[in-house]
Amino acid sequence: MTRLRSLFATAAAVMLITGATAAGTASAVEAGQPREPGCAHVVGYGYGWADIWNECGYTIYATVEVDGFDPPCIQIGPGATARIGLEPGDTPYYAYEC
């Protein structure tokens, strides 16, 4: 019986540690990165481009907010990432649906 009790105690400890680690990781990601509303999210950008990810299960039209004129909207399929062109020097603040 001692062996079985030891096995259960070990399994319970592993579950507690794993759960605490997962909860800590989720909190760190949420706290460090502001959440954009809606389906469109900027997932990367560089000189003259930005990648927008559609997290929803349906097709959307989206663009990014920049200083000056925002680029025209592009179509992005469900769960897909699409690249949008930017003016040189523009930095996208966030993505939004059109």
Side-chain angles (χ1 to χ4, degrees):
M1 203 56 160
T2 306
R3 184 184 234 169
L4 184 59
R5 202 173 303 156
S6 176
L7 180 65
F8 283 132
T10 303
V14 168
M15 287 177 18
L16 286 173
I17 291 169
T18 304
T21 302
T25 303
S27 299
V29 170
E30 290 171 8
Q33 298 176 348
R35 182 93 170 119
E36 296 170 296
C39 298
H41 306 283
V42 175
V43 292
Y45 66 91
Y47 188 78
W49 62 272
D51 286 341
I52 304 172
W53 171 57
N54 173 8
E55 77 169 335
C56 294
Y58 52 88
T59 300
I60 64 169
Y61 288 88
T63 189
V64 293
E65 174 70 26
V66 296
D67 287 336
F69 294 105
D70 295 346
C73 296
I74 58 171
Q75 181 177 337
I76 309 169
T81 300
R83 183 161 285 180
I84 190 167
L86 302 177
E87 293 290 321
D90 279 350
T91 300
Y93 295 108
Y94 59 88
Y96 64 92
E97 295 176 63
C98 304

